[in-house]
Amino acid sequence: MAFDENMAPDVQEVLDAAAVMQVTEYQVFQMAYERWFGKVAGASDLEPYFIDYMFRERVPAWVRQFTRLVTELERAGRLDPRALGVERYAHTQEMFNRGVRYLIITVLVMVVFYILLLLTVTTLEIQAPPGP
């Protein structure tokens, strides 16, 4: 299914594979990496390839091979996303840790802004307008 006729076919295959397996494009890269290289990819392993994909629409051969396998299995009615590793990537410890870090950072930023607001109000002696 083509969304954009100007899109590179390889990119469309990645999008299609992600859609039929109900995962992100990044997870497609993770599964393809593990299948091709025989080991789980760390963020530093995938980053250069995924950046090249996102900004230059370049799909590595090992991802292209994986997306074609997914397409063939889907057409034959034999696609089992779990057999390709979908469950393993649904909730990783790394993703959980990253979420916790973002939550902590967000709360800290909000606390700092609140303190700055209080200091500003106190320093400028801003008072609430009189009530009705």
Side-chain angles (χ1 to χ4, degrees):
M1 70 181 135
F3 297 110
D4 179 0
E5 59 263 353
N6 297 324
M7 185 179 298
D10 290 345
V11 173
Q12 188 63 53
E13 287 179 9
V14 172
L15 291 170
D16 291 344
V20 298
M21 292 192 299
Q22 298 180 354
V23 297
T24 65
E25 295 161 81
Y26 189 80
Q27 288 171 305
V28 169
F29 271 66
Q30 285 178 314
M31 290 182 282
Y33 187 96
E34 185 173 347
R35 187 170 184 88
W36 187 267
F37 294 104
K39 63 180 184 174
V40 176
S44 61
D45 297 323
L46 284 181
E47 186 176 339
Y49 297 108
F50 197 71
I51 288 173
D52 208 28
Y53 163 74
M54 292 301 294
F55 294 107
R56 295 180 194 88
E57 296 187 346
R58 293 183 186 151
V59 178
W62 43 273
V63 175
R64 190 167 37 254
Q65 185 272 341
F66 181 78
T67 59
R68 290 179 182 166
L69 170 66
V70 170
T71 302
E72 289 172 17
L73 291 172
E74 171 69 13
R75 285 185 184 144
R78 297 183 295 127
L79 179 63
D80 179 9
R82 289 175 293 174
L84 296 174
V86 168
E87 276 184 297
R88 288 181 291 194
Y89 299 106
H91 302 287
T92 65
Q93 186 65 40
E94 181 183 342
M95 291 168 69
F96 176 78
N97 292 342
R98 186 178 300 158
V100 169
R101 281 194 304 267
Y102 289 156
L103 177 64
I104 291 170
I105 290 168
T106 302
V107 169
L108 287 174
V109 167
M110 291 173 66
V111 167
V112 167
F113 278 130
Y114 180 72
I115 291 171
L116 287 174
L117 177 65
L118 287 178
L119 288 172
T120 303
V121 168
T122 304
T123 303
L124 297 176
E125 298 178 2
I126 299 174
Q127 297 179 357

